[in-house]
Amino acid sequence: MTDLKSANDYFYNKDYKTALKLFLKSENYYGAGLCSLLLCNTKRAKIFWSINKNCPASKWGLVMLDFIQLKKNKIPTFFQTRAQLEIYLSLFIENNLIEWAQNLISCCDVLFRANPESYKFIARALYANGYFKLAINFCKKSLRYFYSDPEAFLIMSQCQFLLSDIAEALDSINRTLAIVPMYYPAKLFKKILLEEIENKRNKRA
């Protein structure tokens, strides 16, 4: 257990080589596979994930190996996509594996078939990593199918705010609150927006 905790600590500090050794020591082959992937050793990742193909996380990992090569023959499960898509996309972006991130996003049609909320998951990851315009595009795609999704409107509003499009941000947050008036994150964000609008008015005065 100590080795596994240490492995997780090294992983979150992006010391994937040390984490890999500790995951192997604790026989955590999923973790070893993920470290290998982030070290750009896809062959080794496949070997580790193939050791326990019944592990849902390893099954997802094997699908990812196809997706980053733009192979769309396999479809992940609904819950795998919900649990892992946002995490993997963020990991690729954070580790400057931009081509893999782009390829994963390019498989969004397959991911949508696995879980129709995939567009929103992609939007959340893009927003968290500073790709605000792209995140807005994926929020809009999500809203074509889930037109009353308050979270998608909230993400879009946050992105618009960070792009200094205050009017659009206010419109999006009002749509959020029209759907769920007591949605606390939206109420809090609207307060921030109104304060920003008031500050701009005061500066002009």
Side-chain angles (χ1 to χ4, degrees):
M1 185 62 69
T2 303
D3 286 335
L4 184 56
K5 183 181 182 303
S6 296
N8 286 326
D9 290 340
Y10 280 109
F11 180 87
Y12 289 119
N13 285 310
K14 297 187 178 182
D15 185 349
Y16 301 125
K17 288 182 179 179
T18 305
L20 171 58
K21 292 175 184 176
L22 292 168
F23 278 130
L24 286 175
K25 195 173 179 181
S26 62
E27 297 184 353
N28 184 314
Y29 296 112
Y30 168 71
L34 182 53
C35 287
S36 298
L37 180 66
L38 296 175
L39 290 166
C40 299
N41 192 332
T42 55
K43 290 182 179 178
R44 202 173 187 194
K46 186 173 183 178
I47 290 169
F48 290 137
W49 283 336
S50 296
I51 291 171
N52 186 4
K53 290 183 179 179
N54 293 323
C55 167
S58 292
K59 284 182 178 179
W60 167 267
L62 291 169
V63 173
M64 285 302 96
L65 291 176
D66 283 347
F67 281 3
I68 61 176
Q69 298 176 68
L70 293 176
K71 296 177 182 177
K72 302 181 182 182
N73 299 324
K74 300 173 186 174
I75 300 178
T77 69
F78 177 93
F79 290 108
Q80 285 170 348
T81 307
R82 184 177 183 82
Q84 302 280 15
L85 172 55
E86 193 175 341
I87 293 170
Y88 270 66
L89 183 52
S90 286
L91 282 171
F92 291 158
I93 295 170
E94 289 166 9
N95 287 280
N96 205 32
L97 299 169
I98 303 303
E99 184 178 350
W100 287 359
Q102 290 172 336
N103 289 352
L104 178 54
I105 291 171
S106 294
C107 294
C108 62
D109 55 334
V110 178
L111 291 162
F112 176 81
R113 278 188 279 155
N115 187 320
E117 287 190 285
S118 291
Y119 293 132
K120 184 174 72 175
F121 302 152
I122 291 170
R124 273 201 310 233
L126 291 169
Y127 161 65
N129 288 281
Y131 291 87
F132 305 129
K133 288 183 180 179
L134 276 175
I136 290 170
N137 289 341
F138 276 93
C139 283
K140 289 178 178 178
K141 286 186 178 186
S142 181
L143 287 164
R144 288 177 198 163
Y145 302 95
F146 300 95
Y147 51 85
S148 294
D149 184 344
E151 187 185 8
F153 278 117
L154 174 58
I155 296 166
M156 190 157 64
S157 180
Q158 290 168 328
C159 290
Q160 290 161 336
F161 172 73
L162 290 166
L163 290 168
S164 299
D165 196 343
I166 306 300
E168 288 293 326
L170 186 60
D171 179 66
S172 295
I173 207 67
N174 283 337
R175 292 190 184 197
T176 303
L177 291 168
I179 298 164
V180 185
M182 299 308 293
Y183 186 25
Y184 181 73
K187 289 175 70 177
L188 184 63
F189 190 65
K190 183 172 181 178
K191 183 180 177 183
I192 293 169
L193 274 173
L194 293 175
E195 286 174 356
E196 180 67 16
I197 291 168
E198 185 63 26
N199 287 338
K200 287 191 173 185
R201 283 176 182 163
N202 291 337
K203 285 179 182 178
R204 289 179 194 144

